[in-house]
């Protein structure tokens, strides 16, 4: 395309640039600026001033919890029907799609002829789970969701990382911050 | 006799606790300053009686942790040699401070106490000679532990410290020619006045900026810290102290900080007027301001102000050294050695000849 070009201004290449001194001074200027800015704001915070300005970008968890976005994919929970029984019909969709093979369902018969089956036991092994969310996508009954924003998922042994149906059914959904 | 001894012991304790205290505070400053530079908060979880004190208790928790860790000695290594290396490093790191004047004189009971541990005519040479001995502990540490990576670290340290040690000496010849003395106390006296009709303190940095730059660069290289941390190179070879744990490792770690303080002390003494306070003159009995005013200060006040000024300046230079350490990336070994031999050495020789020529012309 004639006449359509952008002229790139090359940075000068001389002994002054090559001595690295200007670049070093620039770098020191930037870091020193951050240092004094944060020092000033932190000191102001100590005296209760400038509270609305954040110094630094880190959250002092757990005192200062991190805001969680609504689309955050958290821990699993099983939903209930109005009568309190699990919505899950033990169709094995989630167990089949799970790439980490960490869902284990034991089904049982239910007297209600309009419900195929129900889980007798439902285990999710969080130490294997990769939090891909496929189980939520696969569920035909909207029985499983990942909206418990608990990221303190730690245990002293592997068995503490396995969620059973009781825990899954009785988890409350978290309220997103924004 | 006893009185002299007591005074000497007191001075040694003062200087040593100042040096160690500042080095310990630097371990805290290193975390906090780097945190502020990188928009973080820094270590703040250790507490004393529920008080966090800006993270200062971390100095104590570090010491407790290092003291209670397993002291690992690799199989087949003589224990006494293994233990010798950190203490050589630590001792040698502290010694140069003995020649540094940390004040002028302190009037005490009708007697004037010289505020310097060793008043030597060759104080500067002494400091540099001792500083260049730091390599022994480093080589010993790498060699004795029979670990390839540690030996690599020692070899790098040898290549680096010998190369930069030469420049360290030559870069200071310019200031030495200017002051006409190797005595560190006399150097400070030379700088303890003003030029430009009393406006500018007669500090070495204004007359020898090139020497200052070269000396600071080489000084950082001597402390073996980023951007010259090739002997350590945490991300690749761990370095000469690879086979050390617990407080033996802590000794190497602390030695780096002590060297930082010592380099700051030397920089302050040679280039930044040492203990001298701008416009404060002991002979005139107070501040002589450039606009002609005069503020009287009692002799004891002058001495205390000067002692404080020394530490303030040392602290400021330490801050600058930490700023550099947390800003610049690391050199490669060939870059560092080339920088030393091909650029800094000629520059410092040039500075020496330039200073000599100017002094010759001005002197005539
Ligand atoms: S999030 Fe993914 S890995 Fe975890 S249980 Fe669901 S499907 Fe399996
Ligand atoms: S996909 Fe839904 S309904 Fe089917 S077993 Fe899993 S949770 Fe239950």
């Amino acid at each position: 395309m004639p006449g359509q070009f952008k002229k790139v201004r090359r940075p000068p290449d001389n002994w002054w640039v090559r001595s690295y001194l200007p670049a070093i001074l620039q770098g020191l200027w930037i870091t020193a600026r951050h240092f004094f800015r944060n020092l000033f704001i932190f000191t102001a915070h100590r005296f209760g001033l400038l509270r609305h300005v954040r110094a630094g970008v880190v959250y002092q968890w757990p005192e200062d919890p991190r805001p969680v976005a609504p689309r955050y994919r958290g821990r699993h929970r099983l939903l209930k029907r109005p009568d309190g029984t699990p919505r899950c019909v033990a169709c094995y969709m989630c167990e089949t799609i799970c790439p980490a093979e960490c869902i284990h369902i034991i089904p049982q018969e239910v007297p209600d002829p309009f419900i195929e089956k129900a889980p007798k036991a439902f285990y999710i092994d969080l130490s294997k789970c990769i939090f891909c969310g496929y189980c939520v996508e696969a569920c035909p009954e909207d029985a499983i969701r990942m909206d418990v924003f608990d990221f303190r998922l730690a245990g002293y042994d592997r068995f503490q990382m396995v969620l059973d149906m009781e825990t899954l059914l009785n988890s409350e959904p978290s309220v997103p911050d924004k | 006799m006893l009185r002299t001894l007591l005074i000497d012991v007191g001075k040694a304790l003062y200087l040593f606790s100042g040096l160690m205290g500042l080095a310990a505070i630097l371990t805290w400053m290193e975390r906090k300053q780097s945190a502020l530079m990188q928009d973080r908060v820094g270590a703040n979880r250790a507490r004393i009686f529920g008080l966090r004190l800006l993270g200062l208790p971390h100095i104590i928790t570090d010491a407790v942790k290092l003291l209670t860790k397993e002291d690992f000695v690799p199989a087949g290594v003589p224990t006494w040699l293994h233990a010798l290396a950190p203490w050589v490093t630590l001792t040698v790191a502290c010694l140069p401070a003995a020649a540094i004047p940390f004040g002028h004189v302190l009037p005490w009971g009708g007697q004037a106490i010289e505020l310097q541990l060793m008043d030597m005519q060759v104080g500067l040479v002494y400091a540099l000679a001792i500083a260049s001995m730091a390599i022994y502990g480093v080589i010993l540490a790498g060699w004795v532990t029979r670990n390839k990576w540690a030996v690599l670290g020692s070899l790098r340290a040898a290549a680096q410290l010998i190369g930069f040690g030469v420049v360290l000496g030559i870069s200071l010849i310019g200031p030495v020619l200017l002051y006409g003395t190797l005595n560190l106390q006399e150097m400070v006296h030379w700088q303890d006045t003003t030029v430009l009709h009393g406006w500018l303190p007669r500090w070495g940095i204004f007359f020898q900026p090139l020497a200052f730059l070269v000396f600071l660069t080489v000084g950082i290289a001597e402390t073996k810290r980023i951007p010259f941390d090739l002997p350590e190179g945490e991300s690749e070879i761990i370095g000469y102290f690879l086979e050390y744990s617990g407080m033996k490792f802590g000794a190497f770690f602390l030695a780096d900080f002590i060297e930082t303080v010592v380099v700051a002390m030397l920089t302050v003494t040679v280039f930044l007027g040492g203990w001298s306070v701008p416009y404060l003159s002991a002979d005139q009995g107070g501040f002589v301001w450039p606009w002609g005013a005069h503020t009287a200060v009692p002799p004891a006040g002058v001495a205390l102000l000067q002692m404080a000024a020394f530490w303030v300046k040392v602290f400021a230079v330490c801050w600058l050294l930490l700023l550099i350490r947390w800003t610049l990336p690391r050199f490669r070994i060939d870059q560092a050695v080339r920088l030393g031999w091909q650029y800094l050495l000629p520059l410092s020789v040039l500075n020496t000849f330039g200073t000599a020529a100017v002094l010759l012309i001005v002197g005539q």
Side-chain angles (χ1 to χ4, degrees):
Chain A
M1 278 180 282
Q4 284 210 353
F5 58 87
K6 190 175 176 206
K7 192 161 182 196
V8 178
R9 207 167 59 84
R10 295 205 179 272
D13 183 13
N14 50 35
W15 66 271
W16 175 237
V17 171
R18 282 185 180 228
S19 74
Y20 295 120
L21 274 179
I24 288 175
L25 290 179
Q26 256 172 13
L28 290 178
W29 165 244
I30 290 171
T31 46
R33 218 173 51 208
H34 277 257
F35 174 80
F36 283 115
R37 177 190 173 271
N38 289 331
L39 187 66
F40 174 71
I41 295 176
F42 273 127
T43 315
H45 284 182
R46 288 255 148 195
F47 296 104
L49 302 166
L50 292 176
R51 279 275 170 205
H52 55 284
V53 189
R54 266 194 96 85
V57 294
V58 289
Y59 292 97
Q60 286 296 298
W61 194 84
E63 298 100 56
D64 171 20
R66 227 191 116 141
V68 184
R71 62 197 284 266
Y72 182 78
R73 202 185 291 149
R75 212 199 72 196
H76 313 68
R77 113 188 131 90
L78 287 175
L79 283 82
K80 291 181 194 166
R81 292 169 199 279
D83 65 353
T85 53
R87 243 195 235 182
C88 170
V89 292
C91 71
Y92 278 74
M93 294 278 213
C94 52
E95 182 170 337
T96 312
I97 197 147
C98 178
E101 298 185 358
C102 63
I103 302 181
H104 295 285
I105 304 163
I106 302 171
Q108 67 180 6
E109 298 284 340
V110 276
D112 189 337
F114 295 101
I115 300 173
E116 303 92 287
K117 283 184 290 183
K120 191 161 131 207
F122 196 114
Y123 297 107
I124 300 183
D125 187 350
L126 286 180
S127 65
K128 286 188 193 161
C129 174
I130 56 172
F131 291 87
C132 61
Y134 284 2
C135 46
V136 180
E137 300 282 328
C139 181
E141 300 283 326
D142 191 16
I144 186 166
R145 289 189 194 166
M146 296 176 78
D147 52 6
V148 183
F149 300 157
D150 181 8
F151 23 74
R152 279 176 282 191
L153 301 175
Y156 284 104
D157 59 47
R158 280 158 199 271
F159 302 106
Q160 287 186 6
M161 301 299 293
V162 181
L163 301 178
D164 56 12
M165 193 161 76
E166 176 113 24
T167 321
L168 286 166
L169 274 173
N170 294 321
S171 305
E172 287 301 317
S174 304
V175 185
D177 294 279
K178 279 182 214 133
Chain B
M1 184 62 212
L2 184 68
R3 192 185 154 84
T4 327
L5 186 71
L6 278 182
I7 287 173
D8 275 348
V9 169
K11 282 194 290 192
L13 276 181
Y14 171 81
L15 188 65
F16 189 68
S17 49
L19 183 64
M20 281 305 206
L22 196 51
I25 286 175
L26 279 193
T27 65
W28 168 77
M29 237 175 89
E30 166 124 317
R31 293 167 173 185
K32 279 303 200 186
Q33 187 179 337
S34 65
L36 290 188
M37 282 163 61
Q38 299 170 348
D39 289 348
R40 292 184 286 116
V41 177
N44 64 354
R45 292 286 145 171
R47 283 170 233 204
I48 299 180
F49 306 122
L51 292 176
R52 287 187 170 170
L53 303 173
L54 299 172
L56 273 171
H58 276 272
I59 298 173
I60 303 166
T61 53
D62 280 351
V64 171
K65 176 191 146 188
L66 288 172
L67 282 171
T68 50
K69 268 185 122 171
E70 183 195 354
D71 178 21
F72 174 76
V73 182
V77 173
T79 318
W80 67 276
L81 268 180
H82 187 262
L84 187 63
W87 299 115
V88 170
T89 311
L90 198 58
T91 315
V92 165
C94 293
L95 281 180
I100 308 252
F102 48 88
H104 182 203
V105 284
L106 185 67
W108 188 285
Q111 208 180 355
I113 301 174
E114 282 273 335
L115 292 176
Q116 189 185 17
L117 216 49
M118 299 195 304
D119 188 11
M120 290 198 290
Q121 283 309 312
V122 291
L124 187 65
V125 177
Y126 160 81
L128 294 185
I130 298 286
S132 71
M133 275 167 60
I135 185 67
Y136 289 117
V138 172
I139 289 189
L140 186 62
W143 209 260
V144 77
T145 49
R146 310 206 300 180
N147 179 306
K148 284 176 212 158
W149 306 113
V151 172
L152 268 179
S154 297
L155 291 179
R156 286 183 180 190
Q160 178 176 319
L161 294 192
I162 291 172
F164 283 94
V166 173
V167 186
L168 190 69
I170 296 178
S171 69
L172 286 179
I173 296 183
V176 167
L177 287 175
L178 183 66
Y179 305 146
T181 175
L182 284 168
N183 185 321
L184 289 169
Q185 186 71 281
E186 281 171 22
M187 282 188 187
V188 180
H189 279 298
W190 191 91
Q191 299 176 76
D192 188 19
T193 172
T194 46
V195 287
L196 292 181
H197 305 291
W199 286 96
L200 190 71
R202 196 161 82 161
W203 289 358
I205 182 173
F206 301 122
F207 299 89
Q208 292 283 328
L210 190 60
F212 174 75
L213 267 185
V214 174
F215 178 78
L216 203 65
T217 315
V218 179
I220 297 170
E222 290 286 311
T223 63
K224 306 187 287 299
R225 279 156 63 73
I226 293 173
F228 295 100
D229 73 327
L230 303 151
E232 289 163 27
E234 286 120 345
S235 50
E236 38 183 74
I237 59 166
I238 320 293
Y240 52 90
F241 46 55
L242 176 58
E243 297 283 7
Y244 284 89
S245 61
M247 208 55 198
K248 286 182 188 165
F249 164 77
F252 284 118
F253 192 69
L254 196 60
D256 275 6
F257 283 106
I258 293 174
E259 276 170 2
T260 306
V261 180
V262 167
V263 166
M265 282 178 171
L266 268 175
T267 313
V268 164
T269 306
V270 179
F271 293 103
L272 298 176
W275 41 258
S276 77
V277 184
Y279 315 122
L280 180 65
S281 158
D283 303 334
Q284 310 270 1
F287 286 100
V288 183
W289 302 108
W291 52 91
H294 183 277
T295 315
V297 180
V302 171
L304 290 179
L305 268 180
Q306 287 170 340
M307 284 159 78
F310 175 73
W311 290 114
V312 168
K313 287 180 194 177
V314 169
F315 192 75
V317 176
C318 284
W319 178 84
L320 181 68
L321 292 175
L322 286 193
L323 188 77
I324 293 171
R325 182 248 178 273
W326 284 96
T327 301
L328 300 184
R330 189 165 82 219
F331 283 107
R332 247 178 10 233
I333 180 74
D334 60 320
Q335 289 170 332
V337 172
R338 184 174 307 138
L339 178 74
W341 288 110
Q342 289 192 1
Y343 296 101
L344 295 182
L345 184 63
L347 264 183
S348 48
V349 172
L350 201 72
N351 185 57
T352 306
F353 279 107
T355 311
V358 170
L359 285 177
L360 201 65
I361 294 163
V362 173
Q364 274 176 354

